[in-house]
Amino acid sequence: TVVDPAAGTGTLLLRAADASARKTGPELRLVGEDISAAACATAENRLRLHEIDADFRCADALTRTTLEA
């Protein structure tokens, strides 16, 4: 699992998926979070264009005490 608590446009998750695709092993779970709804939508659409499945939440990682899986 790769969690990006400040996903922005999703670059970290995109790179993690690219790196994972070159290796064998269990499927990688990608989770992105951002306080900006526009950033969440942009990142989600960007990964979808690359046919990468990821979960996104629009939330403030600094005020949340736990990350729900």
Side-chain angles (χ1 to χ4, degrees), residues 37-67:
C40 284
T42 299
E44 190 170 16
N45 287 329
R46 185 175 179 207
L47 270 69
R48 193 176 296 143
L49 284 172
H50 290 272
E51 297 181 352
I52 298 170
D53 186 35
D55 298 317
F56 283 92
R57 298 181 187 103
C58 189
D60 185 351
L62 296 177
T63 60
R64 180 189 30 75
T65 57
T66 61
L67 180 64

